Amino acid sequence: MMFMRVVQRSSSILRDNMMTFSSLDKFPRDGVISWNEYLTDFLMKLGVSLDGSKEKTDEAAKALNRTMKEEIMGLKAAWFESVRGDPDRLNIDEFLAFRHPEQSHSFLLKIVEDVANILDTNGDGVLNLGEFTELKLDDVSMDNFALRSLFDKDLKTLFKVVDIDGKGTVNRQEL
C-alpha cells in the first residue's frame, strides 16, 4: 500500500513538472527554461507586475525585501546545483532536479556517489556495517548513551534493509 502511494506521488510530481515546465517555456518554445523566465514567473506569482524583459525582472528583484531576496538567492543556488549544461537554462530533466531533487535520477546518483565516497574508508567499493554506521554520528550527542544506542540500532536495521543481496556489504546499486 505504501509503495502505491509513493508511485502515485512520483507520477503526480512528474506530471506537475511537465505542466509547469510547459507553462514556463514560452517564447521561444525551445525545450529549455531560462533563469529569467523562471524568475519572471516567480515574481509575477508574488504580484509583481512585469513585462518579461530581463531588465524589468532584475529591477523588480532588486526592489524586494531582504527575505524575498534571500529566497531568490536560495532558488538560484538550487538552480546551479541542477545545471549540467548551460548555467542560464534548464532542460526538463534539470528542471525536475531543481524542483524535486528527490525525483531526479541524476541527482540521486550524485548523492549515492558522494555518500559512498565519504563512507567507504577502506576503498573497496562497498560499505560494510562498520562504515555504514558511521553516518553522521557526530550529530548525535555522545553523552547520551541511550540516544546513541537507538541511533546505532536504527542504522543497523537500515543496513539490513539496504543490503538487498544479504552479503553483508552495500554496493552503490543497493545504496
Side-chain angles (χ1 to χ4, degrees):
M1 192 63 148
M2 176 72 159
F3 178 72
M4 288 304 294
R5 276 188 253 141
V6 169
V7 169
Q8 288 170 342
R9 174 158 163 64
S10 179
S11 174
S12 156
I13 287 170
L14 293 174
R15 193 173 30 260
D16 175 64
N17 189 67
M18 177 65 84
M19 291 171 48
T20 303
F21 184 88
S22 295
S23 73
L24 291 174
D25 184 16
K26 295 182 178 162
F27 184 76
R29 282 204 173 277
D30 53 1
V32 292
I33 297 172
S34 72
W35 171 250
N36 189 62
E37 286 173 316
Y38 180 79
L39 183 58
T40 299
D41 182 72
F42 179 81
L43 293 172
M44 288 174 65
K45 285 180 179 171
L46 291 176
V48 177
S49 177
L50 297 169
D51 64 7
S53 72
K54 182 171 178 11
E55 295 78 26
K56 292 278 188 187
T57 301
D58 290 344
E59 188 178 301
K62 287 177 185 170
L64 294 173
N65 66 39
R66 180 182 176 151
T67 303
M68 293 311 302
K69 286 179 183 177
E70 287 174 356
E71 185 171 344
I72 290 171
M73 288 188 320
L75 288 168
K76 186 74 170 188
W79 180 279
F80 281 115
E81 285 287 322
S82 305
V83 169
R84 291 188 307 266
D86 182 350
D88 191 48
R89 301 154 44 115
L90 298 180
N91 63 34
I92 193 158
D93 293 329
E94 293 166 330
F95 190 66
L96 178 64
F98 168 64
R99 293 186 65 225
H100 297 284
E102 76 283 1
Q103 295 291 321
S104 167
H105 291 286
S106 60
F107 191 75
L108 291 174
L109 289 172
K110 182 184 180 329
I111 291 171
V112 165
E113 205 51 42
D114 289 348
V115 168
N117 287 336
I118 291 168
L119 296 180
D120 185 16
T121 55
N122 65 10
D124 64 356
V126 294
L127 302 177
N128 59 42
L129 179 60
E131 291 169 323
F132 190 85
T133 56
E134 288 302 312
L135 281 169
K136 297 292 181 201
L137 287 180
D138 298 339
D139 295 343
V140 178
S141 169
M142 295 304 142
D143 299 335
N144 188 334
F145 181 76
L147 183 58
R148 178 171 177 168
S149 296
L150 179 62
F151 190 81
D152 286 344
K153 181 181 177 213
D154 286 347
L155 282 176
K156 288 174 184 168
T157 303
L158 179 60
F159 182 83
K160 289 177 183 175
V161 171
V162 175
D163 181 17
I164 296 167
D165 62 14
K167 292 182 179 178
T169 59
V170 173
N171 62 36
R172 282 167 168 74
Q173 185 176 4
E174 290 170 317
L175 193 57

